Amino acid sequence: MEPGTARIAVDLLGGDDAPAVVVDGALRAVRTDPDLHLLLVGPTEVAGGLIGALDPEQRARVTVRPVRTAVGMADHPTAARAESTVRAAVSAVRDGLADALVSAGSTGATVTAAALGLGRWAGIRRPALVATLPAVAGPVVLLDVGGTLESGPATLTRHAVLGAAYAAVAHTVAAPRVGLLSVGTEAGKGDRLRRAADPALAAVPLPCDGRYVGLVEGFDISLGARADVVVTDGFTGNVLLKAIEGAYAMAGGPPASGGAPRAAALLGVSGTVVVCHGAARPDDVASGIALAAHLWRRGATDTVSTLLDGFSHDPAPDRNDTEVAP
């Protein structure tokens, strides 16, 4: 475990089975990591139940921000503009009361709250959710897995740059190989989006000595032999991620080596944000908190942002590239 204090704001009301699974996951996280401090954002009575289950030393590392309103999983993402647990967690990071935040609530609401509350990096109109999957040859970074459901070629190009930098910083991948997910590896394969994005990706410079290796297929994600980073639109990536989770369940659990994609980091906003699956279980929430702490301790968000300053390639925006309205 990496040393260093990490203060994580936890959305107690985010997720299908919140607050019970979130409380359980937070308990596991704070008991595992002696340098972890939690800011619990939610009803006082819910937070109190968690704190009461801790020993005095652990209890001293937990504080509460009372908020009673949550954004429902079926609510429109713009509901995050109103006072809610996820908005309060974002505000805690913005105001320096927490180093990072974790939520298993509505992905759209979390992305919206983070983009509005923390701001976005220059040149990033649409933040991306990035998950790390175990593969035979080593971890594979997959993005987007739900931050931007409808992407154009320019968005995929920006996400390739984000993914290469993230793989190098978060997973120490040297000279990351970046591939574009499609239905075949031959040039010209795929739908209109893939055919347009392929030459755009081939032309963009990548940070950390990254290089574009062309089109890859779904099995390349499991093997990891051709690419360290795989780029796709958020709709396809989210469906693929959940299919992989289902395959783990059929096989009796994730690989013994670990690395199951239990949480995803949000790239492109000025803060460390981790999103857990809405159907997260306690282990998943604990894993998301651990990921947020890891990214903070490694300075991943700031380092990736700094790396992108030297790769300011900004293609013309996609027609569906819209700013999040304030």
Side-chain angles (χ1 to χ4, degrees):
M1 185 178 298
E2 295 167 310
T5 299
R7 303 171 301 159
I8 312 299
V10 180
D11 175 6
L12 288 181
L13 298 184
D16 295 341
D17 298 313
V21 299
V22 182
V23 168
D24 195 349
L27 275 171
R28 298 182 190 197
V30 79
R31 285 170 172 160
T32 300
D33 186 343
D35 294 321
L36 181 68
H37 292 245
L38 296 183
L39 173 62
L40 306 178
V41 183
T44 304
E45 63 273 18
V46 173
L50 187 157
I51 294 170
L54 299 172
D55 65 34
E57 183 279 328
Q58 295 163 346
R59 201 173 300 152
R61 294 188 276 118
V62 179
T63 54
V64 181
R65 172 171 280 196
V67 181
R68 304 197 67 83
T69 306
V71 178
M73 298 300 284
D75 290 345
H76 193 275
T78 54
R81 296 188 180 116
E83 181 60 23
S84 62
T85 50
V86 69
R87 182 180 177 186
V90 168
S91 297
V93 174
R94 181 196 63 206
D95 297 339
L97 301 176
D99 301 318
L101 73 95
V102 174
S103 178
S106 163
T107 297
T110 304
V111 173
T112 298
L116 294 177
L118 301 175
R120 282 166 291 180
W121 297 341
I124 302 297
R125 292 178 175 84
R126 291 173 173 257
L129 278 172
V130 52
T132 302
L133 291 82
V136 175
V140 171
V141 168
L142 174 67
L143 75 164
D144 186 11
V145 295
T148 300
L149 298 185
E150 297 182 31
S151 302
T155 299
L156 294 183
T157 300
R158 293 187 189 94
H159 288 180
V161 175
L162 287 175
Y166 181 83
V169 172
H171 302 295
T172 62
V173 177
R177 302 160 299 167
V178 178
L180 175 64
L181 186 63
S182 190
V183 295
T185 60
E186 300 84 4
K189 283 291 183 74
D191 59 6
R192 183 179 301 175
L193 172 59
R194 256 48 63 161
R195 293 196 301 271
D198 184 31
L201 284 166
V204 70
L206 298 174
C208 305
D209 296 322
R211 60 188 178 91
Y212 179 58
V213 298
L215 303 178
V216 298
E217 298 186 72
F219 60 79
D220 289 314
I221 296 173
S222 299
L223 297 177
R226 291 197 61 226
D228 307 297
V229 178
V230 174
V231 178
T232 190
D233 60 281
F235 182 90
T236 303
N238 190 269
V239 171
L240 174 61
L241 187 65
K242 291 173 180 175
I244 291 172
E245 291 173 351
Y248 287 154
M250 290 179 63
S257 58
R262 292 178 170 177
L266 183 64
L267 293 183
V269 299
S270 299
T272 302
V273 179
V274 169
V275 179
C276 296
H277 195 301
R281 307 311 304 161
D283 279 349
D284 302 328
V285 174
S287 178
I289 293 172
L291 173 61
H294 164 73
L295 295 176
W296 169 255
R297 287 164 175 158
R298 184 159 286 195
T301 299
D302 289 343
T303 303
V304 170
S305 178
T306 300
L307 286 170
L308 298 190
D309 289 343
F311 291 83
S312 57
H313 177 79
D314 190 17
D318 299 317
R319 285 184 297 175
N320 64 343
D321 255 354
T322 55
E323 301 288 345
V324 178

